Amino acid sequence: MYHLVFSADENYIKYTSVLITSIILNTDKSKKFQDFDKNSNIKNEKYFFHILSNFVSDKTREKLLNLQNALNEIFPCEIIIHIKNDEDFEKFPISGAAHSLKLPYYRLKLSSIFDESVKKCLYLDSDMLCMCDMRELFLTNLEGKIIAAVGDPGSKRSKIKYKEDGKKKAFYFDENYFNSGLLLINLEEYKKHSIEQKCEELASKCYYIKAADQDLLNATIETRLRYKLDFAYNFNIITLLYAICKDEKKNRLNYTRAEFNEALKNPKILHYGEKPWKFLKSYFDYKDKNINDYWWDIASKTPVFGEELLREKQDIKDYLLYTGLGYELLKSVRKINFFKIHHLIKNTNKDPLYTEQASRINDDIFGLCCMLGESILHARKHKKDFFGVYLKALKMIYNFKKYHFKSRI
């Protein structure tokens, strides 16, 4: 039996259904678990998909039951809903990834949904897509370890700020900082080391935290009690824009360029930053394929929820504004045109024109333009000045030129 856990509110469940479908469709029905591990005594091969949520309507529950029945014809599975309450997480701060709901924290208490017979579970963010036989992850030997996880591709300069005994303190992260979007959890060790309680205790003292549950887990699980998985198992698609590896710069992606390139050529689980249900097009992979097309291919095969998703697909256009604005910013940075950058932030009259020209942007810089455009929209929303946007764009363009995978292989 394989236990997999997701966090999803009512609106996110349809996206979770695509991930669940990708897991089923990529399971090799011709193989048993013993084909992966000859010493295994697993006989009842069945996926249990656990959804942690704050509310699921009767209509959505019926859809999930129909999804389960359809997928069960391909490979044995069961979908189980667990309702949690934000009130149970009142000691956890609202900031960063948990800016409006406490849902990101729900995974911290997932051990409470399992009895003692379940020794291991796999947590996955809903904005992921499986491209391998998920059973291979359950082969990981977690003896003596609390979790198996993948290193986060972002900068490791962040920290948690908290108060203890009336004094301000900080917990600084290092190169071993992991991404909590995929966690293979040894439930016995998780409980033994009181991770849930440690996270809640630290959270109650925090006055600054950026990545919510991810920061708390990194602060409470010692490095020696983690198993480092290949980057392919949580391939964050932002690294298709650029990835700075540990043999190129300290405190970045904790994998060598060679290790990253192996994952790039054969990613096993994609982790979408630019959500496919918002971006029909973003980055292009090693095979020069739009990374979002993989998700929509599975969405079209997803029982029950697929038709709804394909209807919504026809109205997805906002990403074109991101890209059109980003292209204008790219040109402005190259010409050091501060007036134009200021104009992009303050004047929205030409937005329809920028949206229209997005379709003419070359694929090799499309993802870069998406991210540059995001900085313009961020500046509009938070009333940032043009010079900050210029510096951020300059750094992004420099890193893209130097660390984009096509220039590094």
Side-chain angles (χ1 to χ4, degrees):
M1 296 185 290
Y2 316 107
H3 292 271
L4 299 95
V5 185
F6 317 93
S7 296
D9 63 15
E10 176 81 0
N11 296 321
Y12 239 69
I13 282 177
K14 57 189 172 186
Y15 310 129
T16 310
S17 73
V18 178
L19 172 55
I20 290 173
T21 300
S22 72
I23 293 169
I24 293 294
L25 295 182
N26 281 285
T27 299
D28 188 343
K29 275 70 69 177
S30 68
K31 291 183 178 180
K32 301 292 184 182
F33 194 71
Q34 283 78 6
D35 295 318
F36 296 95
D37 181 5
K38 293 181 180 179
N39 298 319
S40 172
N41 57 3
I42 294 179
K43 296 180 180 179
N44 183 13
E45 291 213 66
K46 181 178 181 179
Y47 287 117
F48 288 88
F49 298 119
H50 302 265
I51 298 178
L52 305 177
S53 187
N54 52 359
F55 170 78
V56 180
S57 66
D58 290 341
K59 183 177 180 180
T60 300
R61 287 175 183 270
E62 183 179 355
K63 287 182 176 180
L64 286 171
L65 180 58
N66 291 334
L67 174 69
Q68 170 189 296
N69 293 338
L71 294 178
N72 202 40
E73 294 182 6
I74 303 172
F75 196 89
C77 66
E78 184 176 341
I79 298 175
I80 305 165
I81 300 168
H82 305 269
I83 299 299
K84 300 285 185 179
N85 297 306
D86 277 6
E87 288 77 14
D88 297 332
F89 299 86
E90 60 183 2
K91 293 183 179 179
F92 293 81
I94 294 179
S95 64
H99 56 83
S100 58
L101 296 171
K102 299 293 182 77
L103 195 64
Y105 291 121
Y106 285 13
R107 76 192 76 179
L108 298 178
K109 296 188 177 184
L110 59 82
S111 61
S112 63
I113 70 176
F114 298 113
D115 60 34
E116 298 299 323
S117 66
V118 180
K119 308 299 183 184
K120 187 186 294 185
C121 72
L122 178 65
Y123 174 85
L124 295 156
D125 274 353
S126 292
D127 58 351
M128 289 180 145
L129 190 74
C130 177
M131 301 180 73
C132 67
D133 193 322
M134 193 66 83
R135 293 176 296 178
E136 65 186 59
L137 255 180
F138 283 85
L139 287 171
T140 307
N141 184 356
L142 286 178
E143 186 174 352
K145 306 291 185 183
I146 298 175
I147 60 163
V150 171
D152 191 84
S155 171
K156 310 304 183 295
R157 294 179 180 176
S158 59
K159 56 186 175 289
I160 290 178
K161 297 179 182 179
Y162 62 100
K163 288 184 179 180
E164 191 171 66
D165 299 327
K167 297 180 180 179
K168 290 184 177 181
K169 297 184 178 182
F171 183 95
Y172 294 89
F173 300 114
D174 59 21
E175 68 275 5
N176 297 301
Y177 186 85
F178 60 85
N179 185 282
S180 66
L182 180 142
L183 298 170
L184 184 64
I185 301 173
N186 181 338
L187 291 168
E188 289 182 315
E189 293 295 322
Y190 192 87
K191 295 173 183 176
K192 175 183 173 183
H193 289 271
S194 305
I195 299 303
E196 177 184 322
Q197 292 79 7
K198 288 178 180 177
C199 285
E200 186 166 0
E201 182 181 346
L202 178 58
S204 66
K205 302 174 183 177
C206 285
Y207 64 90
Y208 172 83
I209 187 170
K210 186 176 182 180
D213 65 289
Q214 182 167 287
D215 282 354
L216 293 174
L217 288 168
N218 272 277
T220 55
I221 300 177
E222 298 176 51
T223 301
R224 66 182 181 86
L225 298 175
R226 310 171 189 171
Y227 181 96
K228 182 182 172 185
L229 291 167
D230 291 345
F231 189 65
Y233 283 111
N234 186 350
F235 190 91
N236 196 311
I237 68 164
I238 190 64
T239 58
L240 294 174
L241 180 62
Y242 64 82
I244 306 176
C245 300
K246 69 177 183 180
D247 49 353
E248 297 163 338
K249 192 174 182 179
K250 290 183 178 180
N251 291 324
R252 299 296 297 202
L253 183 63
N254 195 21
Y255 298 86
T256 65
R257 176 58 58 174
E259 290 170 332
F260 171 75
N261 286 345
E262 283 302 308
L264 170 70
K265 295 172 185 177
N266 185 31
K268 295 177 181 291
I269 299 173
L270 297 175
H271 193 169
Y272 287 92
E274 284 57 65
K275 316 304 184 198
W277 51 91
K278 293 183 179 179
F279 290 77
L280 293 186
K281 185 178 178 181
S282 59
Y283 314 118
F284 285 74
D285 68 4
Y286 183 73
K287 301 173 184 176
D288 286 325
K289 181 171 179 177
N290 173 18
I291 202 75
N292 298 45
D293 284 346
Y294 293 107
W295 192 90
W296 281 106
D297 177 56
I298 298 297
S300 68
K301 300 172 183 175
T302 299
V304 185
F305 293 91
E307 290 185 11
E308 176 186 352
L309 289 168
L310 291 176
R311 285 196 302 271
E312 293 178 357
K313 183 181 181 182
Q314 300 174 22
D315 298 322
I316 301 173
K317 294 183 176 64
D318 287 350
Y319 73 102
L320 296 173
L321 176 59
Y322 280 67
T323 315
L325 285 170
Y327 184 64
E328 291 299 315
L329 178 57
L330 177 62
K331 292 191 295 183
S332 301
V333 170
R334 286 172 174 170
K335 295 178 181 179
I336 319 180
N337 189 339
F338 294 142
F339 175 79
K340 182 60 182 290
I341 297 173
H342 176 80
H343 178 81
L344 289 171
I345 297 171
K346 298 298 182 181
N347 192 331
T348 62
N349 292 336
K350 287 190 176 182
D351 282 0
L353 177 62
Y354 301 142
T355 298
E356 182 182 342
Q357 73 179 20
S359 61
R360 298 191 292 272
I361 297 173
N362 292 336
D363 291 345
D364 58 341
I365 61 168
F366 197 93
L368 174 62
C369 291
C370 277
M371 290 299 95
L372 290 172
E374 192 278 333
S375 66
I376 293 291
L377 293 169
H378 180 81
R380 289 179 179 179
K381 182 178 180 180
H382 298 280
K383 296 180 171 38
K384 301 289 184 178
D385 64 75
F386 72 91
F387 193 66
V389 172
Y390 169 75
L391 292 177
K392 183 177 180 180
L394 196 65
K395 182 178 180 181
M396 195 181 302
I397 294 166
Y398 171 81
N399 286 334
F400 176 76
K401 288 180 177 179
K402 185 173 182 179
Y403 298 108
H404 182 55
F405 72 86
K406 287 190 177 179
S407 65
R408 307 297 294 170
I409 292 179

